[in-house]
Amino acid sequence: MNSPPQPPGTVGFVGLGAMGLPMAANLAKAGFDVLVWARGRVPLDAAVAAGCRAAGRPADVAAGARTVITMLPDLPQVRDVSAGPDGLLAGLDTAAPAEAMDTLVVMGTVSPVAVRALAQELRSFGVTVVDAPVSGGVTGARDATLSIMAGGTPYAVESVRPYLTAMGSTVRRMGDTGAGSLAKACNQLVVAGTLVALAEAVVLGEHGGLDPAALLEVLAGGLASSEVLAQKRRHLADSDFTPSGPARYLHKDLGFVLDSAAHAHVELPLSTSVARLYAAIDDRGLGDLDNSVVLRLLREDNSPSRPHHTSKD
């Protein structure tokens, strides 16, 4: 197989949220010419201040960069910026083939099943899709220490690897298109399950007279220690649910876990239970709070004022 081409000097970037903005800035810091677009003026100005160039429309990004990266919440947003007279696909008609987008790197957390369907659709436009979701949060995005799970052909992933390594410290091809998103679904399963376990431990400890901060300290010093506990310990100890990762996103991601399980005919009892809890968080209007707010949900459900039912009821 031929060696993949060296990436051109310009890379497109669409989606300058809490994680996208520092990721684009790290690409610029690595020496790439980064052409960015976002709906808001404030993130665009911040990206320009970090060394990027601003585009007027998504179409301009696709016309000026062969590789375009999206860091958007889900595939509906990717489709939205791709369609219409100002969308990415419109840019393919306004540039020479050698300069227009031929690779789309989807770095948001999306459905493994749906991203494979998107790849099939875009193939007719001459565009290859690489799904490359990330783990590491805002801190990892800022410090360029993200763990990046890529799905695509070996050639396609190697072609964009220089961009990925500018944003993450771990870059691993997991398989063909959709494999990166499946790995991220597995990651989110573990994160959500661990958060629920920690929240249940705090609730159980509180009902037995334990101080949450002291309990979490000893858990962090033993086998129960984890990166989830390290990052969420303060939230859980102080009941501070100021969002670093909104619970509604984890609810969405758990839907991808269950969809993937159904597609593979696999039963996941823990994932089903955890997904039900995060659905309840959304139902109670708590989805914009931190994903550790599952502790608040469990406290409410175990409140003395809340009726409890036995198996005989």
Side-chain angles (χ1 to χ4, degrees):
M1 184 179 70
N2 294 332
S3 298
Q6 290 300 307
T10 300
V11 57
F13 202 104
V14 174
L16 300 175
M19 293 184 66
L21 178 58
M23 290 164 68
N26 282 327
L27 284 167
K29 189 183 300 183
F32 295 109
D33 174 40
V34 188
L35 185 59
V36 300
W37 181 85
R39 295 190 187 280
R41 189 71 242 177
V42 172
L44 273 177
D45 290 343
V48 170
C52 303
R53 292 190 296 121
R57 309 174 301 156
D60 299 329
V61 176
R66 291 182 60 189
T67 296
V68 175
I69 295 168
T70 61
M71 188 59 185
L72 297 165
D74 202 349
L75 280 185
Q77 290 80 16
V78 175
R79 290 183 178 277
D80 184 51
V81 299
S82 298
D86 293 328
L88 293 171
L89 295 178
L92 303 183
D93 299 327
T94 61
E99 299 173 356
M101 175 181 72
D102 60 17
T103 303
L104 179 66
V105 184
V106 178
M107 298 196 75
T109 300
V110 303
S111 162
V113 177
V115 78
R116 286 193 289 268
L118 177 68
Q120 183 68 30
E121 293 172 28
L122 294 189
R123 196 169 294 135
S124 63
F125 293 90
V127 175
T128 297
V129 172
V130 172
D131 62 309
V134 306
S135 181
V138 175
T139 299
R142 183 194 63 216
D143 298 341
T145 57
L146 293 168
S147 177
I148 302 176
M149 301 153 259
T153 66
Y155 182 87
V157 173
E158 288 307 307
S159 294
V160 301
R161 185 177 290 275
Y163 301 132
L164 302 182
T165 56
M167 297 180 285
S169 55
T170 300
V171 178
R172 179 71 181 265
R173 177 181 176 267
M174 304 303 297
D176 291 331
T177 305
S181 296
L182 181 59
K184 180 61 186 288
C186 294
N187 180 86
Q188 298 304 81
L189 186 167
V190 173
V191 169
T194 304
L195 278 170
V196 171
L198 289 169
E200 288 191 351
V202 169
V203 169
L204 179 62
E206 285 178 330
H207 279 254
L210 300 182
D211 173 64
L215 175 61
L216 292 167
E217 180 182 357
V218 296
L219 292 179
L223 188 59
S225 179
S226 68
E227 184 61 27
V228 175
L229 175 51
Q231 292 196 22
K232 299 298 179 176
R233 179 172 161 183
R234 182 188 59 79
H235 291 273
L236 295 166
D238 299 340
S239 299
D240 178 2
F241 305 124
T242 303
S244 60
R248 59 187 171 88
Y249 288 157
L250 202 47
H251 177 208
K252 176 203 72 165
D253 299 346
L254 287 164
F256 300 152
V257 171
L258 297 183
D259 286 347
S260 298
H263 190 74
H265 306 291
V266 173
E267 291 187 10
L268 301 177
L270 174 63
S271 298
T272 301
S273 297
V274 172
R276 190 179 302 119
L277 286 171
Y278 276 91
I281 288 171
D282 257 0
D283 289 344
R284 296 188 196 181
L286 306 176
D288 287 330
L289 297 177
D290 191 75
N291 46 33
S292 58
V293 77
V294 67
L295 173 59
R296 176 171 161 181
L297 181 84
L298 292 172
R299 279 175 173 155
E300 291 176 356
D301 286 351
N302 286 282
S303 170
S305 61
R306 185 179 178 91
H308 291 271
H309 303 282
T310 67
S311 58
K312 296 179 181 180
D313 291 340

